[in-house]
Amino acid sequence: DAKTTQPPSMDCAEGRAANLPCNHSTISGNEYVYWYRQIHSQGPQYIIHGLKNNETNEMASLIITEDRKSSTLILPHATLRDTAVYYCIVRNSDNYGQNFVFGPGTRLSVLP
Amino acid sequence: NAGVTQTPKFQVLKTGQSMTLQCAQDMNHNSMYWYRQDPGMGLRLIYYSASEGTTDKGEVPNGYNVSRLNKREFSLRLESAAPSQTSVYFCACRHTGGRTDTQYFGPGTRLTVL
Protein backbone atom coordinates (compact mmCIF):
# COMPACT_ATOMS: atom_id res chain seq x y z
CA ASP A 1 0.00 0.00 0.00
CA ALA A 2 1.21 3.50 -0.78
CA LYS A 3 1.79 5.56 2.32
CA THR A 4 1.07 9.26 2.65
CA THR A 5 2.87 11.89 4.70
CA GLN A 6 1.17 15.09 5.81
CA PRO A 7 2.21 17.86 8.20
CA PRO A 8 0.45 17.40 11.55
CA SER A 9 -0.91 20.94 11.66
CA MET A 10 -1.23 24.19 9.70
CA ASP A 11 -2.73 27.62 10.23
CA CYS A 12 -4.40 29.80 7.64
CA ALA A 13 -5.91 33.28 7.81
CA GLU A 14 -9.61 33.56 7.06
CA GLY A 15 -10.21 34.55 3.45
CA ARG A 16 -6.80 33.39 2.28
CA ALA A 17 -6.03 30.24 0.32
CA ALA A 18 -5.16 27.16 2.34
CA ASN A 19 -2.62 24.89 0.67
CA LEU A 20 -2.36 21.46 2.26
CA PRO A 21 0.51 19.27 1.03
CA CYS A 22 0.70 15.49 0.86
CA ASN A 23 3.62 13.27 -0.07
CA HIS A 24 2.94 9.85 -1.59
CA SER A 25 6.28 8.88 -3.11
CA THR A 26 5.45 5.16 -3.42
CA ILE A 27 2.16 5.63 -5.26
CA SER A 28 1.56 3.13 -8.05
CA GLY A 29 0.09 3.79 -11.47
CA ASN A 30 -3.48 2.70 -10.73
CA GLU A 31 -3.81 4.44 -7.37
CA TYR A 32 -5.90 7.56 -6.92
CA VAL A 33 -5.35 10.42 -4.47
CA TYR A 34 -8.35 11.19 -2.27
CA TRP A 35 -8.95 14.00 0.19
CA TYR A 36 -11.43 13.90 3.06
CA ARG A 37 -11.91 16.14 6.04
CA GLN A 38 -13.34 15.65 9.51
CA ILE A 39 -14.87 18.54 11.38
CA HIS A 40 -14.85 18.23 15.16
CA SER A 41 -15.48 14.48 15.55
CA GLN A 42 -18.20 14.34 12.91
CA GLY A 43 -18.02 11.67 10.24
CA PRO A 44 -15.42 12.38 7.54
CA GLN A 45 -16.57 14.29 4.50
CA TYR A 46 -15.39 13.67 0.94
CA ILE A 47 -13.68 16.62 -0.72
CA ILE A 48 -12.09 15.59 -4.01
CA HIS A 49 -10.06 12.90 -5.72
CA GLY A 50 -7.85 12.53 -8.80
CA LEU A 51 -5.49 10.24 -10.68
CA LYS A 52 -2.97 12.45 -12.48
CA ASN A 53 -4.75 15.50 -13.84
CA ASN A 54 -5.55 18.49 -11.67
CA GLU A 55 -9.13 18.51 -10.44
CA THR A 56 -11.49 21.22 -9.24
CA ASN A 57 -14.94 21.14 -7.71
CA GLU A 58 -17.09 23.47 -5.66
CA MET A 59 -15.12 22.77 -2.51
CA ALA A 60 -11.48 22.68 -3.54
CA SER A 61 -8.77 22.12 -6.14
CA LEU A 62 -6.36 19.21 -6.25
CA ILE A 63 -2.93 19.70 -7.81
CA ILE A 64 -0.96 16.51 -8.49
CA THR A 65 2.69 16.76 -9.53
CA GLU A 66 3.71 15.30 -12.87
CA ASP A 67 5.58 12.41 -11.22
CA ARG A 68 2.53 11.87 -8.93
CA LYS A 69 4.73 11.67 -5.86
CA SER A 70 3.00 14.55 -4.14
CA SER A 71 -0.16 16.62 -4.27
CA THR A 72 -1.67 19.77 -2.81
CA LEU A 73 -5.24 20.42 -1.75
CA ILE A 74 -6.20 24.05 -2.19
CA LEU A 75 -9.12 25.70 -0.41
CA PRO A 76 -9.23 28.98 -2.33
CA HIS A 77 -10.89 31.19 0.28
CA ALA A 78 -10.73 29.51 3.67
CA THR A 79 -13.49 30.23 6.20
CA LEU A 80 -13.71 29.44 9.90
CA ARG A 81 -15.94 26.49 9.00
CA ASP A 82 -13.02 24.92 7.13
CA THR A 83 -11.22 24.29 10.42
CA ALA A 84 -10.91 20.49 10.43
CA VAL A 85 -8.55 17.55 10.11
CA TYR A 86 -7.73 16.88 6.45
CA TYR A 87 -6.84 13.38 5.30
CA CYS A 88 -4.89 12.53 2.16
CA ILE A 89 -5.48 8.92 1.10
CA VAL A 90 -3.97 6.92 -1.72
CA ARG A 91 -5.76 3.83 -2.90
CA ASN A 92 -6.73 1.63 -5.78
CA SER A 93 -10.25 2.61 -6.74
CA ASP A 94 -11.21 -0.99 -7.52
CA ASN A 95 -10.35 -2.27 -4.05
CA TYR A 96 -13.43 -1.93 -1.92
CA GLY A 97 -11.92 -2.13 1.50
CA GLN A 98 -8.43 -2.98 2.53
CA ASN A 99 -6.44 -0.17 1.01
CA PHE A 100 -8.53 2.77 2.23
CA VAL A 101 -6.25 3.99 5.03
CA PHE A 102 -6.93 7.15 7.02
CA GLY A 103 -3.73 8.35 8.66
CA PRO A 104 -3.49 11.09 11.32
CA GLY A 105 -4.04 13.85 8.72
CA THR A 106 -3.34 17.59 8.94
CA ARG A 107 -5.19 19.68 11.49
CA LEU A 108 -6.01 22.95 9.71
CA SER A 109 -6.90 25.92 11.89
CA VAL A 110 -8.46 28.88 10.06
CA LEU A 111 -7.82 32.00 12.10
CA PRO A 112 -10.00 35.14 12.10
CA ASN B 1 -32.90 11.66 2.65
CA ALA B 2 -31.22 10.86 5.93
CA GLY B 3 -28.04 9.57 4.25
CA VAL B 4 -26.23 7.28 6.69
CA THR B 5 -27.72 6.85 10.15
CA GLN B 6 -26.20 5.13 13.17
CA THR B 7 -27.68 4.02 16.45
CA PRO B 8 -27.04 4.48 19.27
CA LYS B 9 -25.13 7.77 19.39
CA PHE B 10 -23.57 6.95 22.77
CA GLN B 11 -23.15 3.72 24.71
CA VAL B 12 -21.40 2.65 27.90
CA LEU B 13 -20.72 -1.05 28.42
CA LYS B 14 -19.08 -3.12 31.10
CA THR B 15 -16.30 -5.50 30.17
CA GLY B 16 -17.76 -8.72 28.81
CA GLN B 17 -21.10 -7.28 27.76
CA SER B 18 -22.27 -7.58 24.18
CA MET B 19 -23.99 -5.14 21.91
CA THR B 20 -24.80 -4.42 18.28
CA LEU B 21 -24.18 -1.12 16.54
CA GLN B 22 -26.72 -0.41 13.84
CA CYS B 23 -26.13 1.36 10.54
CA ALA B 24 -28.56 2.10 7.75
CA GLN B 25 -28.28 4.02 4.47
CA ASP B 26 -30.99 5.27 2.17
CA MET B 27 -28.62 6.11 -0.69
CA ASN B 28 -28.98 2.74 -2.47
CA HIS B 29 -25.23 2.14 -2.52
CA ASN B 30 -23.79 -1.34 -2.72
CA SER B 31 -20.77 -1.19 -0.46
CA MET B 32 -20.70 -0.36 3.24
CA TYR B 33 -17.94 -0.04 5.83
CA TRP B 34 -17.27 0.01 9.57
CA TYR B 35 -14.36 2.05 10.95
CA ARG B 36 -13.13 2.86 14.43
CA GLN B 37 -11.35 6.04 15.45
CA ASP B 38 -9.32 6.27 18.63
CA PRO B 39 -8.52 9.66 20.18
CA GLY B 40 -6.13 11.73 18.07
CA MET B 41 -5.84 9.06 15.40
CA GLY B 42 -7.13 8.40 11.93
CA LEU B 43 -9.81 5.89 11.07
CA ARG B 44 -9.09 2.17 10.90
CA LEU B 45 -11.20 -0.21 8.85
CA ILE B 46 -12.84 -3.02 10.82
CA TYR B 47 -15.03 -4.78 8.24
CA TYR B 48 -16.56 -3.97 4.91
CA SER B 49 -19.24 -5.31 2.62
CA ALA B 50 -18.75 -4.85 -1.11
CA SER B 51 -22.35 -5.87 -1.80
CA GLU B 52 -25.37 -7.41 -0.15
CA GLY B 53 -24.54 -10.90 1.09
CA THR B 54 -20.76 -10.43 1.28
CA THR B 55 -18.49 -9.25 4.08
CA ASP B 56 -14.71 -9.07 4.44
CA LYS B 57 -12.21 -8.25 7.16
CA GLY B 58 -10.42 -4.96 7.22
CA GLU B 59 -7.37 -3.88 9.17
CA VAL B 60 -8.63 -4.51 12.73
CA PRO B 61 -11.41 -7.17 12.71
CA ASN B 62 -10.56 -9.04 15.92
CA GLY B 63 -13.32 -8.88 18.53
CA TYR B 64 -16.00 -7.89 16.04
CA ASN B 65 -18.57 -9.53 13.79
CA VAL B 66 -20.74 -7.99 11.11
CA SER B 67 -23.98 -8.72 9.32
CA ARG B 68 -25.10 -7.26 6.02
CA LEU B 69 -28.80 -7.74 6.66
CA ASN B 70 -29.92 -6.28 3.34
CA LYS B 71 -28.75 -3.56 0.99
CA ARG B 72 -29.65 -0.82 3.47
CA GLU B 73 -28.34 -2.22 6.75
CA PHE B 74 -24.90 -3.24 8.00
CA SER B 75 -24.52 -4.02 11.69
CA LEU B 76 -21.42 -4.41 13.87
CA ARG B 77 -21.47 -6.72 16.89
CA LEU B 78 -19.20 -6.84 19.89
CA GLU B 79 -19.68 -10.26 21.50
CA SER B 80 -17.60 -9.60 24.62
CA ALA B 81 -16.62 -5.98 24.95
CA ALA B 82 -13.14 -5.04 26.18
CA PRO B 83 -11.78 -1.65 27.32
CA SER B 84 -9.55 -1.63 24.22
CA GLN B 85 -12.72 -1.31 22.15
CA THR B 86 -13.49 2.08 23.62
CA SER B 87 -13.62 4.23 20.52
CA VAL B 88 -15.81 6.16 18.11
CA TYR B 89 -17.33 3.91 15.45
CA PHE B 90 -18.22 5.22 12.02
CA CYS B 91 -20.28 3.52 9.36
CA ALA B 92 -20.00 4.54 5.72
CA CYS B 93 -21.41 3.65 2.32
CA ARG B 94 -19.66 4.12 -0.97
CA HIS B 95 -20.85 5.41 -4.30
CA THR B 96 -18.90 4.64 -7.46
CA GLY B 97 -19.77 5.38 -11.04
CA GLY B 98 -17.97 7.14 -13.87
CA ARG B 99 -15.49 9.49 -12.22
CA THR B 100 -17.35 9.39 -8.94
CA ASP B 101 -15.92 7.52 -5.98
CA THR B 102 -17.17 8.85 -2.66
CA GLN B 103 -17.68 7.45 0.81
CA TYR B 104 -20.50 8.93 2.88
CA PHE B 105 -20.12 8.64 6.64
CA GLY B 106 -22.61 8.48 9.47
CA PRO B 107 -22.39 10.66 12.59
CA GLY B 108 -20.66 8.00 14.67
CA THR B 109 -21.33 5.97 17.81
CA ARG B 110 -19.25 6.84 20.87
CA LEU B 111 -18.62 3.65 22.84
CA THR B 112 -17.01 3.43 26.25
CA VAL B 113 -16.15 0.05 27.76
CA LEU B 114 -15.47 0.12 31.49
Side-chain angles (χ1 to χ4, degrees), chain A residues 2-3 7 19 28 66 85 94 97 103 108:
Chain A
K3 184 176 178 180
N19 298 287
S28 60
E66 191 168 346
V85 177
D94 291 331
L108 175 69

Side-chain angles (χ1 to χ4, degrees), chain B residues 17-32:
Chain B
Q17 287 184 315
S18 63
M19 79 160 295
T20 299
L21 281 64
Q22 306 286 353
C23 174
Q25 53 110 354
D26 62 3
M27 307 175 85
N28 201 37
H29 294 159
N30 287 324
S31 53
M32 298 184 72

Side-chain angles (χ1 to χ4, degrees), chain B residues 4-59:
Chain B
V4 180
T5 57
Q6 293 183 237
T7 55
K9 286 186 169 53
F10 300 94
Q11 183 71 48
V12 179
L13 293 177
K14 295 181 180 178
T15 296
Q17 287 184 315
S18 63
M19 79 160 295
T20 299
L21 281 64
Q22 306 286 353
C23 174
Q25 53 110 354
D26 62 3
M27 307 175 85
N28 201 37
H29 294 159
N30 287 324
S31 53
M32 298 184 72
Y33 302 77
W34 275 106
Y35 293 89
R36 62 176 286 175
Q37 185 173 34
D38 299 326
M41 305 209 27
L43 281 73
R44 291 185 292 171
L45 182 65
I46 306 171
Y47 269 94
Y48 66 100
S49 170
S51 61
E52 184 179 353
T54 68
T55 61
D56 284 286
K57 296 179 181 179
E59 180 187 357

